[in-house]
C-alpha cells in the first residue's frame, strides 16, 4: 500500500505549494500597493470580463476578486452572454475600459464562445492594461527580454521553479528543461523564460515523436497540455522539478496533467493540483496589475 503524506513527512517537503509562495508575495505586494496609493492618491484598478456560466472561469474570477480585495486593489467584474454577445459588444466594453483612466488592468476569461476569436480579443486590449500578459506587443517585448508585463501563468511557473531552486540551492543555468505544450499563453512563454535563464530548453507538442524520451531527461519539466494524468510517473527523472499547469475535471475532482501519485515517488519537487500553479497565477495577475499601474504613471 502506498505511503500517505502523514506516514512520510519528508515527501510533503517536496511539494511546491502555492500557499508557501503567497505567504511571501502577498505582504510585499500589499505594501507596494499601499505605497503607490500614498504617492499617487489612488491605487490600481482591475476589470474582469467573463462569459456565461463556465464553472472554472467563475471560480478563477472569484479568486481574482478575493485576492484583489486582500491586496487593496479595486476590482470589478462584468459578464457577457455566451450565446448572444458577439465581437461588437465585447469591443465596446474593452474600448470603454481602455479609455477609462481609472482602469489600469483588463482580464478577459477563457473559454470564449465560438463566435469570438481569442487572439482578436487579446489584441483589442491596450497592451499597457493587458494583465494576462498575452498581447502580441507584450509577447514581442518578452522575446527581447524587455517585458514589464508577462504571461501571468508563465510567470507563476517560473516563481514555482525558483522556489524549488531556493530550497535546493541550485540554478537553472545549463539544466535540461522540457516544456510539454506550446500554446501562446503557457507553453511558448514558459519556453522563452527558461531560455532567458540559460536552461537548455525543449518545447514538445502534438507532433513530437518519442515524448517519453524527452520527459525522461528533463531536470525541469513543465506540463501544460490539458489531458488528465497524461505524463506517467515512471517517465519522470529522479529528482526532477515538475510543474503541472493542467486543470482537468475527472469524476468531480480537479486533477493535473501529471500522474501525481506516481510522479511523487520520483520528482525532487512537484506542484500539487489544485493548490500549485493556479493560485500563484492569480497573484501574478495582481502583480501585472501593479506593473500596469506603474507603467501608466511613468513609474519605474
Ligand atoms: P491549449 O491551448 O489547449 O494547449 C495545449 C497544448 O498541448 C497545445 O500546445 C497542444 O499542441 C499540446 N498537446 C496536445 N496534445 C498533446 C500531446 N499528445 N503531446 C504533446 N502536446 C500535446 O491549453 P493551455 O491554455 O496551454 O492550457 C493547458 C492546460 O493548463 C489546461 O488544462 C488549462 O486548463 C491549464 N491552465 C492552467 C492555468 C493555471 O493557472 N493553473 C492557466 C492556463 C491554463 P497542439 O496545439 O499542437 O495541438
Amino acid at each position: 500500500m502506498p505511503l500517505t503524506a502523514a506516514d512520510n513527512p519528508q515527501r510533503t517537503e517536496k511539494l511546491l505549494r502555492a500557499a508557501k509562495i503567497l505567504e511571501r508575495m502577498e505582504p510585499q505586494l500589499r505594501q507596494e500597493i499601499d505605497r503607490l496609493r500614498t504617492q499617487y492618491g489612488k491605487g490600481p484598478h482591475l476589470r474582469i470580463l467573463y462569459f456565461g456560466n463556465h464553472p472554472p472561469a467563475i471560480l478563477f474570477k472569484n479568486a481574482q476578486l478575493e485576492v484583489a480585495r486582500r491586496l487593496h486593489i479595486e476590482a470589478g467584474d462584468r459578464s457577457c452572454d455566451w450565446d448572444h454577445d458577439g465581437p461588437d459588444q465585447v469591443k465596446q466594453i474593452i474600448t470603454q475600459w481602455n479609455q477609462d483612466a481609472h482602469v489600469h488592468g483588463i482580464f478577459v476569461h477563457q473559454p470564449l464562445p465560438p463566435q469570438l476569436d481569442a487572439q482578436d480579443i487579446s489584441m483589442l486590449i491596450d497592451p499597457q492594461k493587458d494583465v494576462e500578459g498575452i498581447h502580441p506587443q507584450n509577447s514581442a517585448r518578452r522575446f527581447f527580454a524587455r517585458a514589464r508585463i508577462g504571461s501571468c501563468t508563465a510567470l507563476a511557473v517560473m516563481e514555482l521553479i525558483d522556489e524549488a531552486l531556493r530550497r535546493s540551492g541550485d540554478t537553472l543555468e545549463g539544466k535540461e528543461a522540457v516544456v510539454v505544450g506550446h500554446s501562446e499563453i503557457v507553453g511558448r512563454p514558459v519556453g522563452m523564460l527558461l531560455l532567458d535563464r540559460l536552461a537548455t530548453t525543449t518545447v514538445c507538442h502534438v507532433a513530437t515523436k518519442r515524448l517519453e524520451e524527452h520527459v525522461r531527461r528533463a531536470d525541469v519539466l513543465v506540463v501544460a497540455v490539458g489531458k488528465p494524468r497524461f505524463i506517467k510517473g515512471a517517465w519522470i527523472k529522479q529528482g526532477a522539478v515538475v510543474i503541472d499547469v493542467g486543470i482537468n475535471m475527472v469524476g468531480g475532482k480537479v486533477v493535473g496533467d501529471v500522474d501525481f501519485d506516481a510522479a511523487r515517488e520520483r520528482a525532487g519537487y512537484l506542484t500539487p493540483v489544485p493548490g500549485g500553479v493556479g493560485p500563484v497565477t492569480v497573484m501574478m495577475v495582481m502583480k501585472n496589475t501593479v506593473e500596469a499601474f506603474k507603467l501608466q504613471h511613468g513609474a519605474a
Side-chain angles (χ1 to χ4, degrees):
M1 202 172 82
L3 287 176
T4 64
D7 294 328
N8 184 352
Q10 242 188 349
R11 284 178 23 167
T12 62
E13 288 168 19
K14 285 181 168 188
L15 288 186
L16 295 168
R17 291 189 195 279
K20 188 93 190 143
I21 290 170
L22 301 188
E23 245 172 52
R24 174 170 43 80
M25 283 185 76
E26 197 171 312
Q28 284 172 359
L29 204 53
R30 189 167 41 238
Q31 210 173 29
E32 185 172 16
I33 292 162
D34 290 344
R35 183 185 61 73
L36 290 170
R37 198 178 297 283
T38 307
Q39 186 177 349
Y40 293 97
K42 61 182 175 183
H45 186 152
L46 170 67
R47 286 289 173 93
I48 300 164
L49 187 64
Y50 67 101
F51 293 82
N53 273 326
H54 190 68
I58 291 186
L59 273 175
F60 190 15
K61 72 100 184 156
N62 285 341
Q64 288 177 324
L65 291 173
E66 167 57 20
V67 175
R69 189 191 60 72
R70 291 207 306 263
L71 288 171
H72 309 159
I73 289 177
E74 236 182 288
D77 62 342
R78 179 160 173 181
S79 67
C80 275
D81 189 276
W82 182 270
D83 295 312
H84 299 110
D85 285 327
D88 291 344
Q89 283 90 346
V90 174
K91 189 173 179 184
Q92 194 188 8
I93 295 167
I94 293 179
T95 305
Q96 191 196 336
W97 289 349
N98 279 342
Q99 290 168 351
D100 186 342
H102 294 104
V103 174
H104 306 101
I106 299 171
F107 191 105
V108 178
H109 276 277
Q110 304 225 15
L112 299 174
Q115 66 273 24
L116 296 174
D117 178 84
Q119 280 183 1
D120 288 347
I121 298 298
S122 72
M123 282 196 284
L124 289 175
I125 300 171
D126 176 343
Q128 289 205 348
K129 298 190 178 189
D130 158 43
V131 293
E132 193 177 4
I134 55 166
H135 188 284
Q137 272 193 35
N138 289 321
S139 305
R141 289 204 177 92
R142 185 194 64 228
F143 188 80
F144 295 106
R146 289 195 157 196
R148 280 183 66 175
I149 297 179
S151 149
C152 55
T153 313
L155 292 173
V157 166
M158 296 308 291
E159 192 65 39
L160 285 151
I161 292 172
D162 280 333
E163 173 67 19
L165 296 173
R166 261 192 297 276
R167 290 192 205 170
S168 64
D170 213 336
T171 157
L172 257 182
E173 228 174 279
K175 291 281 184 303
E176 288 285 337
V178 174
V179 183
V180 187
H182 67 150
S183 70
E184 283 89 4
I185 65 167
V186 191
R188 289 175 203 218
V190 168
M192 290 302 301
L193 294 174
L194 287 164
L195 265 182
D196 287 348
R197 298 276 296 275
L198 298 182
T200 303
T201 304
T202 306
V203 180
C204 301
H205 43 72
V206 76
T208 298
K209 296 192 174 70
R210 299 182 296 278
L211 176 67
E212 178 182 338
E213 282 176 27
H214 290 286
V215 171
R216 278 189 186 276
R217 59 178 171 71
D219 301 310
V220 174
L221 175 69
V222 180
V223 188
V225 171
K227 293 185 176 166
R229 302 182 184 119
F230 178 65
I231 300 292
K232 308 298 165 221
W235 300 359
I236 309 277
K237 184 175 178 178
Q238 202 73 42
V241 175
V242 180
I243 311 293
D244 188 352
V245 184
I247 301 175
N248 310 287
M249 291 300 292
V250 176
K253 266 184 70 181
V254 179
V255 301
D257 289 348
V258 175
D259 184 354
F260 180 81
D261 289 331
R264 207 170 176 184
E265 299 297 330
R266 301 176 65 85
Y269 296 94
L270 172 67
T271 55
V273 179
V277 178
V280 183
T281 301
V282 172
M283 191 56 72
M284 288 303 172
V285 172
M286 303 303 146
K287 207 169 173 214
N288 275 344
T289 306
V290 172
E291 208 51 44
F293 177 94
K294 292 194 324 197
L295 266 174
Q296 287 157 54
H297 290 83

